[in-house]
Amino acid sequence: HSIPKGTPIGVALGDLQCSVLATIESAHDAVLNISTSAQLAFVVENYEPTEGPPQVSPVEYFPYFDNKYLAVAASLNGGNALAMFVKMLQQWTMELGFSVPQSKVWEKVLALSLEDSAISDLLIHPTLLCERHQPDVAASVTNINIGNVSLGQVFRALCHGLLQNLHSMMPRDILSTANITRIVGNGSGLSRNKVLQ
């Protein structure tokens, strides 16, 4: 392509790298970002990329500043899964003959979830959009009983499922091995949702 040998090539860095740079205060911090999707990431000092095609893994490594890398568990499911739930509720109310704005649905599910803060045994695996490392795993709801299907309990279980999904992608032992001592949260999906906090 007529590019002279030895021409320096720069790599553009994305919003994840920039949000990590703006959020962490020390090498012992990890960043939990929940916006449309969700990521848990930390800076890796001595990572050497492997040759050949990348292996399918829930933790991927992306270039970062100063020749470092980010270890990232990047879930396709975050605030978008919560928004799909709210949109489903709104659609149901419309099918029942009522019109409720999404803002009111959000307000109500958040309030009910905070009021009903008991640990529920309802399990929601909220992978509506699958995951890159598990493209065939869909969402599921298990352990349903008559005592755990209130709206507050269901939304709380959905939020718990989002965090549990990230935890399954990047378990605590990975963070411990990397000497991570603090997880700093950011993103609109986290800052607007007291249940996730």
Side-chain angles (χ1 to χ4, degrees):
H1 297 287
S2 306
I3 299 172
K5 186 176 181 177
T7 300
I9 298 173
V11 177
L13 296 179
D15 56 348
L16 176 62
Q17 289 93 335
C18 294
S19 70
V20 169
L21 181 68
T23 305
I24 62 171
E25 294 178 4
S26 82
H28 302 290
D29 288 348
V31 174
L32 170 63
N33 179 56
I34 301 178
S35 291
T36 301
S37 55
Q39 304 87 25
L40 181 57
F42 62 88
V43 178
V44 178
E45 297 279 338
N46 300 313
Y47 174 74
E48 289 295 324
T50 56
E51 294 292 323
Q55 300 298 312
V56 176
S57 170
V59 177
E60 298 178 275
Y61 294 85
F62 295 100
Y64 187 65
F65 299 98
D66 300 322
N67 296 315
K68 297 174 186 172
Y69 280 79
L70 282 182
V72 183
S75 174
L76 296 173
N77 302 276
N80 52 7
L82 299 176
M84 285 182 227
F85 177 74
V86 166
K87 187 174 181 178
M88 177 189 72
L89 291 175
Q90 183 191 36
Q91 182 65 37
W92 285 357
T93 61
M94 289 174 66
E95 289 172 9
L96 291 169
F98 305 99
S99 179
V100 180
Q102 279 192 25
S103 61
K104 289 289 184 194
V105 178
W106 274 109
E107 198 176 290
K108 195 65 173 175
V109 296
L110 287 167
L112 289 171
S113 301
L114 291 171
E115 287 172 17
D116 193 357
S117 61
I119 301 296
S120 173
D121 51 357
L122 180 66
L123 300 174
I124 299 179
H125 191 70
T127 50
L128 295 167
L129 302 168
C130 303
E131 292 294 1
R132 291 176 187 91
H133 66 286
Q134 293 178 320
D136 299 330
V137 175
S140 64
V141 180
T142 57
N143 212 34
I144 301 169
N145 62 59
I146 60 170
N148 65 11
V149 289
S150 72
L151 187 52
Q153 289 172 314
V154 172
F155 190 76
R156 194 170 192 78
L158 176 58
C159 290
H160 184 264
L162 286 176
L163 297 175
Q164 190 59 42
N165 182 50
L166 276 173
H167 178 71
S168 72
M169 293 172 69
M170 185 180 283
R172 182 184 194 132
D173 61 326
I174 292 176
L175 298 170
S176 296
T177 301
N179 294 318
I180 300 301
T181 58
R182 182 173 77 145
I183 298 174
V184 182
N186 72 5
S188 60
L190 188 58
S191 65
R192 296 177 184 170
N193 187 330
K194 297 282 187 200
V195 180
L196 281 176
Q197 292 172 21

